[in-house]
Amino acid sequence: MSREQLLATTFVELADTLGDDFDVVDFLQNLAERSAEILGADAAAIILADQRGALRVIATTSHAARDLELQALATAEGPCLDAFHSGDDVVNVPRTEGLRRWPRFLSAAEDLGYPSVHAVPLRLRSERLGAITLLYAAITELTDDDRALARALTAVATVGLLQERTPRQREVLADQLQAALSLRIVVEQAKGVVAEWAELEIEEAFALMRAFAREHARSLGAVATDVIEGRLAVGDLLPPERPTT
């Protein structure tokens, strides 16, 4: 699939938030994965503000990206936080300036193999929901076209979440976002269970859960909850050709 085709497909997916089966966790995970793919990033992560304004990690494409964003929140420094609070892109920041602004974050990013980090807010006018971080394994500057695409992806996603809703629908969305933050904890726990039982990497365990959820038309949170509470055996997530341990 060409970049143009992938971009068109992604815009359609991000705009489709009106169905009864809308899953915020899966929606934001899809945004992270597609943004990384379209913009050539090696990893991506999304932080989201909860109802009290506290930022949480909600979607990542790798365990390393998750750890890095958690450190950013713990140390209160990093491009993602600046993008969220300012409402502006934080891209193509020279290393010397990055070391001055985010010394612990940038050091951790480089230790993990990401010398280039860019962030774009999820916002609509004055309303900010969070931010997405794009991580690159090589020194990478975003072109003007890349920046425009990143803004377009985050704008469509934000509009998709906030579009023309009644006050009651907006209240439901707030509840969904808060539930998504809570469910993310369950998803992380379930990933650990699946990874340990099936002797997989964390990313592989997550891919299994997500594939199972989509194949059975279930939400990712429901699948993760069933794994944690023992209603879904880890072996049921494995493809038929893979032997169980």
Side-chain angles (χ1 to χ4, degrees), residues 19 35 55 71 113 126 130 165 169 172 175 198 204 214 225:
S35 296
L55 292 168
Q71 175 165 331
S126 63
R165 297 170 186 269
Q169 287 173 320
V172 168
D175 291 342
E204 294 177 300
R214 290 186 169 182
T225 300

Side-chain angles (χ1 to χ4, degrees), residues 36-125:
E37 187 174 0
I38 290 169
L39 294 164
D42 294 283
I46 294 175
I47 58 170
L48 193 72
D50 65 17
Q51 290 174 321
R52 293 170 296 180
L55 292 168
R56 309 285 183 86
V57 180
I58 186 66
T60 63
T61 62
S62 72
H63 198 63
R66 174 179 175 271
D67 288 346
L68 184 60
E69 290 300 274
L70 287 174
Q71 175 165 331
L73 297 183
T75 59
E77 65 173 49
C80 56
L81 276 72
D82 284 6
F84 171 74
H85 290 301
S86 70
D88 296 324
D89 302 345
V90 180
V91 303
N92 299 338
V93 176
R95 184 174 185 272
T96 52
E97 182 181 345
L99 286 173
R100 178 182 59 80
R101 293 168 64 177
W102 326 295
R104 290 168 293 185
F105 175 88
L106 197 57
S107 177
E110 291 178 345
D111 287 345
L112 289 170
Y114 299 122
S116 286
V117 184
H118 310 284
V120 179
L122 273 71
R123 72 177 179 89
L124 178 65
R125 293 184 287 274

Side-chain angles (χ1 to χ4, degrees), residues 66-242:
R66 174 179 175 271
D67 288 346
L68 184 60
E69 290 300 274
L70 287 174
Q71 175 165 331
L73 297 183
T75 59
E77 65 173 49
C80 56
L81 276 72
D82 284 6
F84 171 74
H85 290 301
S86 70
D88 296 324
D89 302 345
V90 180
V91 303
N92 299 338
V93 176
R95 184 174 185 272
T96 52
E97 182 181 345
L99 286 173
R100 178 182 59 80
R101 293 168 64 177
W102 326 295
R104 290 168 293 185
F105 175 88
L106 197 57
S107 177
E110 291 178 345
D111 287 345
L112 289 170
Y114 299 122
S116 286
V117 184
H118 310 284
V120 179
L122 273 71
R123 72 177 179 89
L124 178 65
R125 293 184 287 274
S126 63
E127 188 154 12
R128 300 189 295 273
L129 298 183
I132 183 168
T133 301
L134 300 167
L135 306 167
Y136 292 82
I139 300 296
T140 304
E141 286 203 2
L142 297 188
T143 66
D144 289 343
D145 286 346
D146 290 334
R147 296 180 67 171
L149 280 177
R151 291 192 198 105
L153 287 165
T154 54
V156 170
T158 305
V159 170
L161 290 170
L162 298 175
Q163 61 182 321
E164 299 303 322
R165 297 170 186 269
T166 65
R168 174 54 187 159
Q169 287 173 320
R170 291 289 293 276
E171 181 180 337
V172 168
L173 173 62
D175 291 342
Q176 286 179 324
L177 293 176
Q178 189 62 38
L181 290 166
S182 300
L183 277 175
R184 193 68 203 185
I185 298 172
V186 177
V187 171
E188 293 298 327
Q189 292 174 336
K191 282 162 56 176
V193 170
V194 174
E196 181 176 2
W197 189 93
E199 297 181 354
L200 297 171
E201 295 296 328
I202 290 292
E203 288 83 359
E204 294 177 300
F206 180 70
L208 278 179
M209 290 198 305
R210 199 166 184 220
F212 183 91
R214 290 186 169 182
E215 181 181 353
H216 294 82
R218 301 187 62 197
S219 72
L220 181 60
V223 170
T225 300
D226 284 353
V227 169
I228 292 296
E229 296 183 356
R231 292 189 295 270
L232 178 62
V234 175
D236 292 337
L237 301 175
L238 302 177
E241 65 274 12
R242 180 186 173 89

